[in-house]
Amino acid sequence: MSAAATYLVSGMTCSHCVTSVTEELTALDGVESVSVDLRAGGTSTVAVASVGPLDRVAVRAAVEEAGYALVDA
């Protein structure tokens, strides 16, 4: 069963930021792809496709490991 989720991330400003977040999220078990809609200086949208639902705590930890913050909707 595939799952898709969208997260809001603050603090991203450039392509390096996108790469960092993508690498951290891709390392989570079950993640198939990550797509980032960068809003430099604002809140970026990160879409994650995975084989099943992801644990939000793990997603938050991965985003924070990359140096950014997950925004609660």
Side-chain angles (χ1 to χ4, degrees):
M1 174 178 130
S2 291
T6 303
Y7 302 95
L8 300 176
V9 177
S10 65
M12 299 170 64
T13 59
C14 64
S15 62
H16 175 73
C17 302
V18 171
T19 300
S20 296
V21 168
T22 300
E23 286 177 356
E24 290 297 332
L25 289 172
T26 302
L28 295 176
D29 284 341
V31 171
E32 296 175 322
S33 67
V34 175
S35 175
V36 178
D37 180 13
L38 178 65
R39 303 273 188 219
T43 302
S44 300
T45 303
V46 181
V48 180
S50 57
V51 295
L54 296 174
D55 177 37
R56 190 167 178 86
V57 172
V59 171
R60 181 180 303 279
V63 169
E64 290 175 354
E65 179 67 26
Y68 308 99
L70 194 64
V71 177
D72 291 319

Short mmCIF file of all heavy atoms in Angstrom, two decimals:
data_model
loop_
_atom_site.label_atom_id
_atom_site.label_comp_id
_atom_site.label_asym_id
_atom_site.label_seq_id
_atom_site.Cartn_x
_atom_site.Cartn_y
_atom_site.Cartn_z
N MET A 1 0.83 -1.18 0.00
CA MET A 1 0.00 0.00 0.00
C MET A 1 0.88 1.24 0.00
O MET A 1 1.64 1.48 0.93
CB MET A 1 -0.88 -0.03 1.25
CG MET A 1 -1.69 1.20 1.45
SD MET A 1 -2.74 0.99 2.91
CE MET A 1 -2.35 2.49 3.76
N SER A 2 0.81 2.02 -1.04
CA SER A 2 1.60 3.25 -1.12
C SER A 2 0.90 4.37 -0.36
O SER A 2 -0.31 4.38 -0.23
CB SER A 2 1.77 3.67 -2.59
OG SER A 2 2.60 2.76 -3.25
N ALA A 3 1.72 5.29 0.12
CA ALA A 3 1.19 6.44 0.85
C ALA A 3 1.88 7.69 0.35
O ALA A 3 3.02 7.63 -0.11
CB ALA A 3 1.42 6.27 2.34
N ALA A 4 1.20 8.79 0.42
CA ALA A 4 1.77 10.09 0.07
C ALA A 4 1.41 11.07 1.16
O ALA A 4 0.29 11.05 1.68
CB ALA A 4 1.25 10.56 -1.28
N ALA A 5 2.36 11.89 1.52
CA ALA A 5 2.11 12.90 2.55
C ALA A 5 2.83 14.18 2.16
O ALA A 5 3.86 14.15 1.48
CB ALA A 5 2.62 12.41 3.90
N THR A 6 2.27 15.29 2.59
CA THR A 6 2.87 16.59 2.33
C THR A 6 3.18 17.25 3.67
O THR A 6 2.36 17.23 4.58
CB THR A 6 1.92 17.47 1.51
OG1 THR A 6 1.60 16.80 0.30
CG2 THR A 6 2.55 18.81 1.18
N TYR A 7 4.38 17.81 3.75
CA TYR A 7 4.82 18.45 4.98
C TYR A 7 5.25 19.88 4.66
O TYR A 7 5.69 20.17 3.54
CB TYR A 7 6.02 17.70 5.58
CG TYR A 7 5.71 16.26 5.87
CD1 TYR A 7 6.03 15.26 4.95
CD2 TYR A 7 5.09 15.89 7.05
CE1 TYR A 7 5.74 13.93 5.21
CE2 TYR A 7 4.79 14.56 7.32
CZ TYR A 7 5.12 13.58 6.39
OH TYR A 7 4.82 12.27 6.65
N LEU A 8 5.13 20.76 5.63
CA LEU A 8 5.59 22.13 5.50
C LEU A 8 6.89 22.27 6.27
O LEU A 8 6.98 21.82 7.43
CB LEU A 8 4.55 23.11 6.03
CG LEU A 8 3.19 23.06 5.33
CD1 LEU A 8 2.20 24.01 6.01
CD2 LEU A 8 3.33 23.41 3.86
N VAL A 9 7.90 22.86 5.62
CA VAL A 9 9.22 22.98 6.23
C VAL A 9 9.67 24.44 6.14
O VAL A 9 9.60 25.05 5.06
CB VAL A 9 10.24 22.07 5.51
CG1 VAL A 9 11.63 22.24 6.09
CG2 VAL A 9 9.81 20.60 5.61
N SER A 10 10.14 24.98 7.25
CA SER A 10 10.62 26.36 7.24
C SER A 10 12.14 26.39 7.32
O SER A 10 12.76 25.44 7.80
CB SER A 10 10.02 27.14 8.41
OG SER A 10 10.47 26.61 9.64
N GLY A 11 12.70 27.49 6.82
CA GLY A 11 14.15 27.71 6.91
C GLY A 11 14.94 27.36 5.67
O GLY A 11 16.13 27.63 5.60
N MET A 12 14.31 26.77 4.68
CA MET A 12 15.02 26.41 3.45
C MET A 12 15.13 27.63 2.54
O MET A 12 14.16 28.36 2.37
CB MET A 12 14.28 25.27 2.74
CG MET A 12 14.18 24.01 3.57
SD MET A 12 13.08 22.76 2.86
CE MET A 12 13.93 22.38 1.36
N THR A 13 16.33 27.84 1.96
CA THR A 13 16.53 29.02 1.13
C THR A 13 17.13 28.74 -0.25
O THR A 13 17.14 29.63 -1.09
CB THR A 13 17.44 30.04 1.85
OG1 THR A 13 18.69 29.40 2.13
CG2 THR A 13 16.82 30.54 3.14
N CYS A 14 17.67 27.54 -0.47
CA CYS A 14 18.38 27.30 -1.73
C CYS A 14 18.36 25.82 -2.11
O CYS A 14 17.82 24.99 -1.38
CB CYS A 14 19.83 27.77 -1.60
SG CYS A 14 20.77 26.84 -0.36
N SER A 15 18.99 25.50 -3.23
CA SER A 15 19.02 24.12 -3.70
C SER A 15 19.79 23.21 -2.75
O SER A 15 19.48 22.02 -2.65
CB SER A 15 19.60 24.04 -5.11
OG SER A 15 20.93 24.51 -5.13
N HIS A 16 20.78 23.75 -2.04
CA HIS A 16 21.51 22.93 -1.06
C HIS A 16 20.55 22.50 0.06
O HIS A 16 20.63 21.36 0.54
CB HIS A 16 22.69 23.71 -0.48
CG HIS A 16 23.39 22.96 0.62
ND1 HIS A 16 24.18 21.86 0.39
CD2 HIS A 16 23.37 23.13 1.96
CE1 HIS A 16 24.63 21.39 1.54
NE2 HIS A 16 24.14 22.15 2.51
N CYS A 17 19.67 23.40 0.46
CA CYS A 17 18.67 23.07 1.48
C CYS A 17 17.78 21.93 1.00
O CYS A 17 17.50 20.99 1.75
CB CYS A 17 17.78 24.29 1.78
SG CYS A 17 18.65 25.76 2.34
N VAL A 18 17.35 22.03 -0.25
CA VAL A 18 16.51 20.99 -0.85
C VAL A 18 17.23 19.65 -0.82
O VAL A 18 16.66 18.63 -0.44
CB VAL A 18 16.11 21.37 -2.29
CG1 VAL A 18 15.41 20.20 -2.99
CG2 VAL A 18 15.21 22.60 -2.29
N THR A 19 18.50 19.66 -1.21
CA THR A 19 19.30 18.43 -1.23
C THR A 19 19.42 17.84 0.17
O THR A 19 19.26 16.63 0.36
CB THR A 19 20.69 18.70 -1.82
OG1 THR A 19 20.54 19.18 -3.16
CG2 THR A 19 21.54 17.45 -1.83
N SER A 20 19.68 18.67 1.16
CA SER A 20 19.84 18.19 2.54
C SER A 20 18.57 17.53 3.06
O SER A 20 18.61 16.44 3.62
CB SER A 20 20.23 19.35 3.46
OG SER A 20 21.48 19.86 3.11
N VAL A 21 17.44 18.19 2.87
CA VAL A 21 16.17 17.64 3.34
C VAL A 21 15.83 16.37 2.58
O VAL A 21 15.40 15.37 3.17
CB VAL A 21 15.04 18.70 3.21
CG1 VAL A 21 13.67 18.07 3.42
CG2 VAL A 21 15.27 19.82 4.21
N THR A 22 16.04 16.39 1.26
CA THR A 22 15.75 15.21 0.44
C THR A 22 16.58 14.01 0.89
O THR A 22 16.05 12.90 1.03
CB THR A 22 16.01 15.52 -1.05
OG1 THR A 22 15.15 16.60 -1.45
CG2 THR A 22 15.74 14.31 -1.92
N GLU A 23 17.87 14.22 1.14
CA GLU A 23 18.74 13.12 1.57
C GLU A 23 18.29 12.55 2.91
O GLU A 23 18.25 11.33 3.08
CB GLU A 23 20.19 13.60 1.67
CG GLU A 23 20.84 13.79 0.31
CD GLU A 23 22.26 14.34 0.40
OE1 GLU A 23 22.73 14.67 1.52
OE2 GLU A 23 22.89 14.46 -0.65
N GLU A 24 17.96 13.40 3.86
CA GLU A 24 17.55 12.92 5.19
C GLU A 24 16.23 12.15 5.11
O GLU A 24 16.07 11.11 5.74
CB GLU A 24 17.43 14.08 6.18
CG GLU A 24 18.76 14.70 6.57
CD GLU A 24 19.68 13.74 7.31
OE1 GLU A 24 19.20 12.81 7.99
OE2 GLU A 24 20.91 13.92 7.22
N LEU A 25 15.27 12.67 4.35
CA LEU A 25 13.97 11.99 4.25
C LEU A 25 14.07 10.70 3.46
O LEU A 25 13.43 9.71 3.80
CB LEU A 25 12.93 12.93 3.63
CG LEU A 25 12.49 14.08 4.52
CD1 LEU A 25 11.61 15.05 3.76
CD2 LEU A 25 11.78 13.58 5.78
N THR A 26 14.89 10.69 2.42
CA THR A 26 15.06 9.48 1.61
C THR A 26 15.67 8.35 2.43
O THR A 26 15.43 7.19 2.16
CB THR A 26 15.93 9.79 0.37
OG1 THR A 26 15.29 10.83 -0.38
CG2 THR A 26 16.08 8.58 -0.53
N ALA A 27 16.43 8.70 3.46
CA ALA A 27 17.07 7.70 4.32
C ALA A 27 16.07 6.99 5.23
O ALA A 27 16.39 5.93 5.79
CB ALA A 27 18.17 8.35 5.14
N LEU A 28 14.87 7.54 5.38
CA LEU A 28 13.86 6.87 6.23
C LEU A 28 13.36 5.60 5.56
O LEU A 28 13.17 5.57 4.34
CB LEU A 28 12.68 7.81 6.48
CG LEU A 28 12.94 9.08 7.28
CD1 LEU A 28 11.68 9.93 7.36
CD2 LEU A 28 13.43 8.73 8.68
N ASP A 29 13.14 4.57 6.34
CA ASP A 29 12.63 3.31 5.82
C ASP A 29 11.29 3.51 5.11
O ASP A 29 10.39 4.15 5.65
CB ASP A 29 12.43 2.29 6.95
CG ASP A 29 13.73 1.69 7.43
OD1 ASP A 29 14.73 1.77 6.69
OD2 ASP A 29 13.75 1.13 8.54
N GLY A 30 11.21 2.97 3.90
CA GLY A 30 9.96 3.00 3.17
C GLY A 30 9.76 4.17 2.24
O GLY A 30 8.84 4.18 1.43
N VAL A 31 10.63 5.20 2.32
CA VAL A 31 10.46 6.37 1.45
C VAL A 31 10.89 6.02 0.03
O VAL A 31 11.98 5.49 -0.20
CB VAL A 31 11.27 7.58 1.98
CG1 VAL A 31 11.27 8.72 0.97
CG2 VAL A 31 10.68 8.04 3.30
N GLU A 32 10.00 6.29 -0.92
CA GLU A 32 10.27 6.01 -2.32
C GLU A 32 10.73 7.25 -3.08
O GLU A 32 11.58 7.17 -3.96
CB GLU A 32 9.01 5.45 -2.98
CG GLU A 32 8.59 4.11 -2.40
CD GLU A 32 7.28 3.62 -2.97
OE1 GLU A 32 6.37 4.44 -3.22
OE2 GLU A 32 7.18 2.40 -3.18
N SER A 33 10.16 8.41 -2.76
CA SER A 33 10.57 9.65 -3.42
C SER A 33 10.23 10.85 -2.58
O SER A 33 9.34 10.81 -1.73
CB SER A 33 9.91 9.77 -4.80
OG SER A 33 8.51 9.96 -4.66
N VAL A 34 10.98 11.94 -2.83
CA VAL A 34 10.77 13.20 -2.14
C VAL A 34 10.79 14.30 -3.19
O VAL A 34 11.66 14.32 -4.06
CB VAL A 34 11.90 13.45 -1.10
CG1 VAL A 34 11.74 14.82 -0.45
CG2 VAL A 34 11.93 12.35 -0.05
N SER A 35 9.82 15.20 -3.11
CA SER A 35 9.74 16.33 -4.03
C SER A 35 9.55 17.60 -3.21
O SER A 35 8.68 17.65 -2.34
CB SER A 35 8.57 16.14 -4.99
OG SER A 35 8.42 17.28 -5.80
N VAL A 36 10.38 18.61 -3.47
CA VAL A 36 10.34 19.84 -2.69
C VAL A 36 9.94 21.02 -3.58
O VAL A 36 10.50 21.22 -4.66
CB VAL A 36 11.72 20.13 -2.06
CG1 VAL A 36 11.68 21.45 -1.29
CG2 VAL A 36 12.14 18.99 -1.15
N ASP A 37 8.95 21.78 -3.12
CA ASP A 37 8.57 23.04 -3.75
C ASP A 37 9.17 24.13 -2.86
O ASP A 37 8.61 24.49 -1.83
CB ASP A 37 7.05 23.16 -3.82
CG ASP A 37 6.60 24.47 -4.47
OD1 ASP A 37 7.44 25.17 -5.08
OD2 ASP A 37 5.41 24.79 -4.36
N LEU A 38 10.36 24.62 -3.26
CA LEU A 38 11.12 25.57 -2.45
C LEU A 38 10.48 26.95 -2.47
O LEU A 38 10.19 27.50 -3.54
CB LEU A 38 12.56 25.66 -2.98
CG LEU A 38 13.47 26.65 -2.27
CD1 LEU A 38 13.71 26.22 -0.82
CD2 LEU A 38 14.80 26.76 -3.01
N ARG A 39 10.25 27.49 -1.29
CA ARG A 39 9.79 28.87 -1.11
C ARG A 39 10.88 29.55 -0.28
O ARG A 39 10.82 29.55 0.95
CB ARG A 39 8.46 28.93 -0.36
CG ARG A 39 7.36 28.15 -1.02
CD ARG A 39 6.65 28.97 -2.05
NE ARG A 39 5.48 28.23 -2.52
CZ ARG A 39 5.10 28.23 -3.78
NH1 ARG A 39 5.76 28.91 -4.67
NH2 ARG A 39 4.05 27.54 -4.14
N ALA A 40 11.89 30.08 -0.97
CA ALA A 40 13.05 30.67 -0.29
C ALA A 40 12.62 31.72 0.72
O ALA A 40 11.88 32.63 0.38
CB ALA A 40 14.01 31.26 -1.31
N GLY A 41 13.05 31.55 1.95
CA GLY A 41 12.73 32.49 3.00
C GLY A 41 11.34 32.32 3.57
O GLY A 41 10.95 33.04 4.48
N GLY A 42 10.59 31.36 3.06
CA GLY A 42 9.23 31.13 3.54
C GLY A 42 9.05 29.69 3.98
O GLY A 42 9.99 29.05 4.43
N THR A 43 7.86 29.17 3.78
CA THR A 43 7.57 27.79 4.14
C THR A 43 7.49 26.96 2.87
O THR A 43 6.64 27.21 2.02
CB THR A 43 6.24 27.71 4.92
OG1 THR A 43 6.34 28.53 6.08
CG2 THR A 43 5.95 26.29 5.34
N SER A 44 8.39 26.00 2.74
CA SER A 44 8.45 25.14 1.57
C SER A 44 7.53 23.94 1.77
O SER A 44 7.28 23.52 2.90
CB SER A 44 9.88 24.65 1.34
OG SER A 44 10.74 25.75 1.12
N THR A 45 7.06 23.40 0.66
CA THR A 45 6.20 22.21 0.70
C THR A 45 7.03 21.00 0.28
O THR A 45 7.69 21.03 -0.76
CB THR A 45 5.01 22.38 -0.26
OG1 THR A 45 4.30 23.57 0.11
CG2 THR A 45 4.07 21.19 -0.18
N VAL A 46 7.00 19.95 1.09
CA VAL A 46 7.76 18.74 0.82
C VAL A 46 6.77 17.58 0.69
O VAL A 46 6.06 17.25 1.64
CB VAL A 46 8.78 18.45 1.94
CG1 VAL A 46 9.57 17.19 1.64
CG2 VAL A 46 9.71 19.65 2.14
N ALA A 47 6.73 16.97 -0.50
CA ALA A 47 5.86 15.82 -0.75
C ALA A 47 6.69 14.55 -0.67
O ALA A 47 7.76 14.46 -1.28
CB ALA A 47 5.21 15.94 -2.11
N VAL A 48 6.21 13.59 0.10
CA VAL A 48 6.93 12.34 0.30
C VAL A 48 6.04 11.17 -0.09
O VAL A 48 4.92 11.05 0.40
CB VAL A 48 7.38 12.17 1.77
CG1 VAL A 48 8.14 10.87 1.95
CG2 VAL A 48 8.23 13.36 2.21
N ALA A 49 6.53 10.32 -0.99
CA ALA A 49 5.83 9.08 -1.36
C ALA A 49 6.55 7.94 -0.65
O ALA A 49 7.78 7.88 -0.65
CB ALA A 49 5.85 8.88 -2.86
N SER A 50 5.77 7.06 -0.05
CA SER A 50 6.37 5.95 0.71
C SER A 50 5.52 4.71 0.56
O SER A 50 4.38 4.76 0.09
CB SER A 50 6.51 6.34 2.18
OG SER A 50 5.24 6.68 2.71
N VAL A 51 6.10 3.57 0.96
CA VAL A 51 5.38 2.30 0.84
C VAL A 51 4.25 2.19 1.85
O VAL A 51 3.37 1.36 1.70
CB VAL A 51 6.35 1.09 0.98
CG1 VAL A 51 7.32 1.06 -0.17
CG2 VAL A 51 7.06 1.11 2.31
N GLY A 52 4.28 3.02 2.87
CA GLY A 52 3.22 3.04 3.89
C GLY A 52 3.30 4.35 4.64
O GLY A 52 4.19 5.16 4.39
N PRO A 53 2.38 4.59 5.54
CA PRO A 53 2.40 5.84 6.32
C PRO A 53 3.71 5.99 7.09
O PRO A 53 4.25 5.02 7.61
CB PRO A 53 1.22 5.68 7.27
CG PRO A 53 0.35 4.65 6.65
CD PRO A 53 1.26 3.73 5.89
N LEU A 54 4.20 7.21 7.15
CA LEU A 54 5.43 7.50 7.88
C LEU A 54 5.11 8.04 9.26
O LEU A 54 4.10 8.71 9.46
CB LEU A 54 6.28 8.53 7.13
CG LEU A 54 6.80 8.11 5.76
CD1 LEU A 54 7.49 9.30 5.09
CD2 LEU A 54 7.76 6.95 5.89
N ASP A 55 5.99 7.75 10.20
CA ASP A 55 5.85 8.26 11.56
C ASP A 55 6.24 9.74 11.55
O ASP A 55 7.35 10.09 11.15
CB ASP A 55 6.76 7.45 12.49
CG ASP A 55 6.72 7.97 13.91
OD1 ASP A 55 5.65 8.38 14.37
OD2 ASP A 55 7.79 7.97 14.55
N ARG A 56 5.33 10.62 11.96
CA ARG A 56 5.60 12.06 11.92
C ARG A 56 6.81 12.42 12.79
O ARG A 56 7.55 13.34 12.46
CB ARG A 56 4.37 12.84 12.36
CG ARG A 56 4.50 14.33 12.11
CD ARG A 56 3.17 15.05 12.26
NE ARG A 56 3.31 16.48 12.05
CZ ARG A 56 3.27 17.07 10.87
NH1 ARG A 56 3.09 16.37 9.79
NH2 ARG A 56 3.41 18.38 10.78
N VAL A 57 7.02 11.71 13.88
CA VAL A 57 8.18 11.97 14.74
C VAL A 57 9.47 11.71 13.97
O VAL A 57 10.43 12.47 14.06
CB VAL A 57 8.10 11.12 16.03
CG1 VAL A 57 9.38 11.25 16.84
CG2 VAL A 57 6.90 11.53 16.85
N ALA A 58 9.50 10.63 13.18
CA ALA A 58 10.69 10.30 12.38
C ALA A 58 10.90 11.35 11.29
O ALA A 58 12.04 11.74 11.01
CB ALA A 58 10.54 8.91 11.77
N VAL A 59 9.81 11.81 10.68
CA VAL A 59 9.91 12.84 9.65
C VAL A 59 10.46 14.13 10.26
O VAL A 59 11.37 14.76 9.72
CB VAL A 59 8.55 13.09 8.97
CG1 VAL A 59 8.60 14.30 8.05
CG2 VAL A 59 8.11 11.85 8.19
N ARG A 60 9.92 14.51 11.42
CA ARG A 60 10.39 15.72 12.10
C ARG A 60 11.88 15.60 12.43
O ARG A 60 12.65 16.53 12.22
CB ARG A 60 9.59 15.96 13.38
CG ARG A 60 10.02 17.22 14.14
CD ARG A 60 9.20 17.45 15.42
NE ARG A 60 7.79 17.53 15.16
CZ ARG A 60 7.16 18.61 14.73
NH1 ARG A 60 7.84 19.71 14.48
NH2 ARG A 60 5.86 18.60 14.54
N ALA A 61 12.30 14.45 12.93
CA ALA A 61 13.71 14.24 13.29
C ALA A 61 14.60 14.35 12.05
O ALA A 61 15.68 14.94 12.12
CB ALA A 61 13.88 12.88 13.96
N ALA A 62 14.15 13.81 10.93
CA ALA A 62 14.94 13.87 9.69
C ALA A 62 15.08 15.31 9.21
O ALA A 62 16.17 15.75 8.81
CB ALA A 62 14.30 12.99 8.61
N VAL A 63 13.98 16.06 9.24
CA VAL A 63 14.01 17.46 8.81
C VAL A 63 14.92 18.28 9.74
O VAL A 63 15.73 19.09 9.28
CB VAL A 63 12.58 18.04 8.78
CG1 VAL A 63 12.61 19.56 8.61
CG2 VAL A 63 11.78 17.39 7.65
N GLU A 64 14.83 18.03 11.04
CA GLU A 64 15.67 18.74 12.00
C GLU A 64 17.13 18.36 11.85
O GLU A 64 18.02 19.20 12.00
CB GLU A 64 15.17 18.50 13.42
CG GLU A 64 13.85 19.20 13.68
CD GLU A 64 13.25 18.91 15.05
OE1 GLU A 64 13.80 18.06 15.80
OE2 GLU A 64 12.21 19.53 15.36
N GLU A 65 17.41 17.10 11.52
CA GLU A 65 18.78 16.65 11.28
C GLU A 65 19.39 17.42 10.11
O GLU A 65 20.58 17.72 10.10
CB GLU A 65 18.80 15.14 11.01
CG GLU A 65 20.18 14.57 10.74
CD GLU A 65 21.12 14.60 11.94
OE1 GLU A 65 20.64 14.60 13.10
OE2 GLU A 65 22.35 14.64 11.73
N ALA A 66 18.56 17.74 9.12
CA ALA A 66 19.03 18.51 7.97
C ALA A 66 19.21 19.99 8.31
O ALA A 66 19.80 20.74 7.54
CB ALA A 66 18.04 18.36 6.80
N GLY A 67 18.69 20.41 9.46
CA GLY A 67 18.88 21.79 9.91
C GLY A 67 17.67 22.69 9.71
O GLY A 67 17.79 23.91 9.76
N TYR A 68 16.49 22.10 9.53
CA TYR A 68 15.29 22.89 9.27
C TYR A 68 14.19 22.49 10.24
O TYR A 68 14.37 21.60 11.05
CB TYR A 68 14.88 22.71 7.80
CG TYR A 68 16.05 22.99 6.91
CD1 TYR A 68 16.83 21.94 6.40
CD2 TYR A 68 16.48 24.28 6.67
CE1 TYR A 68 17.96 22.19 5.64
CE2 TYR A 68 17.61 24.54 5.91
CZ TYR A 68 18.36 23.50 5.41
OH TYR A 68 19.50 23.75 4.68
N ALA A 69 13.04 23.13 10.12
CA ALA A 69 11.95 22.87 11.06
C ALA A 69 10.69 22.44 10.33
O ALA A 69 10.30 23.05 9.34
CB ALA A 69 11.67 24.11 11.90
N LEU A 70 10.06 21.40 10.85
CA LEU A 70 8.77 20.95 10.35
C LEU A 70 7.71 21.87 10.95
O LEU A 70 7.70 22.11 12.15
CB LEU A 70 8.53 19.49 10.77
CG LEU A 70 7.42 18.74 10.10
CD1 LEU A 70 7.71 18.58 8.60
CD2 LEU A 70 7.26 17.37 10.73
N VAL A 71 6.85 22.40 10.10
CA VAL A 71 5.79 23.32 10.54
C VAL A 71 4.51 22.51 10.75
O VAL A 71 4.09 21.79 9.86
CB VAL A 71 5.56 24.43 9.48
CG1 VAL A 71 4.42 25.33 9.91
CG2 VAL A 71 6.84 25.22 9.26
N ASP A 72 3.94 22.64 11.92
CA ASP A 72 2.68 21.95 12.19
C ASP A 72 1.54 22.69 11.52
O ASP A 72 1.43 23.92 11.62
CB ASP A 72 2.42 21.85 13.70
CG ASP A 72 3.40 20.90 14.38
OD1 ASP A 72 3.69 19.85 13.79
OD2 ASP A 72 3.88 21.23 15.47
N ALA A 73 0.72 21.95 10.80
CA ALA A 73 -0.39 22.58 10.06
C ALA A 73 -1.51 22.95 10.99
O ALA A 73 -1.67 22.46 12.05
CB ALA A 73 -0.89 21.61 8.98
#
